[in-house]
Amino acid sequence: MTPDSTAKAALNSHFSAAWFICLDISGDPLRVTTFGADVVVSGSGDSELDGTYVSRDGRFIEVSEISNSEGGSDTRTITLSGITSIDTDLVADIADKSLWQGRLARIWCRIYDADGVTAQGAIFPVDTGYMSSVQIIAGAETLGVLGR
């Protein structure tokens, strides 16, 4: 799917974009967004998109580029950093690969005006994959999620 006509028009001018990321860890999705406030998505028609997304500063969320070819695609890396404390339950879930390995990781995007306030179209899907590696880098206050 691609951006709708309103989002496409915004792409031709000055704009900002927000990521919406959903990682299925132990059947209790971890949802984060780079939008400047928490966002509740409901009634989208996509049960995996619907939910509450916790706002994280965009400087602390990185979504890698990906290239596709006839032989397949590269692994996409999602890095969530700047986390001052990580829930002990999340740490325990990450330690148990059966709770996340092979589960869905989904990425959506929404285009906003140059001020990053007014939505310029609907949220649209960017990528869907399966988590293959999750790691917490101790001391760096970074939660790195790797997968496709």
Side-chain angles (χ1 to χ4, degrees):
M1 179 176 255
T2 61
D4 61 20
S5 59
T6 305
K8 285 180 183 177
L11 289 170
N12 291 324
S13 62
H14 295 286
F15 69 93
S16 64
W19 293 112
F20 291 81
I21 300 169
C22 178
L23 308 173
D24 182 7
I25 298 177
S26 74
D28 184 19
L30 172 63
R31 290 184 169 96
V32 295
T33 181
T34 57
F35 187 65
D38 292 356
V39 176
V40 176
V41 177
S42 63
S44 71
D46 183 341
S47 62
E48 292 171 353
L49 173 59
D50 288 352
T52 301
Y53 290 79
V54 177
S55 179
R56 293 279 185 223
D57 186 319
R59 295 172 297 173
F60 300 120
I61 294 180
E62 180 181 324
V63 177
S64 70
E65 294 293 324
I66 191 167
S67 63
N68 296 302
S69 67
E70 288 183 27
S73 61
D74 293 336
T75 297
R76 181 177 304 272
T77 303
I78 303 167
T79 304
L80 309 175
S81 61
I83 299 172
T84 56
S85 65
I86 298 176
D87 184 299
T88 56
D89 290 337
L90 178 59
V91 172
D93 288 349
I94 289 171
D96 183 351
K97 287 184 178 184
S98 70
L99 297 178
W100 55 263
Q101 196 167 45
R103 290 182 181 255
L104 280 178
R106 297 208 49 202
I107 304 168
W108 296 269
C109 186
R110 186 173 219 173
I111 306 301
Y112 289 87
D113 63 3
D115 295 325
V117 176
T118 306
Q120 304 295 303
I123 297 172
F124 58 92
V126 174
D127 199 10
T128 298
Y130 298 95
M131 289 183 280
S132 59
S133 175
V134 176
Q135 54 186 268
I136 296 174
I137 303 166
E141 296 181 344
T142 298
L143 171 61
V145 181
L146 314 171
R148 170 102 175 102

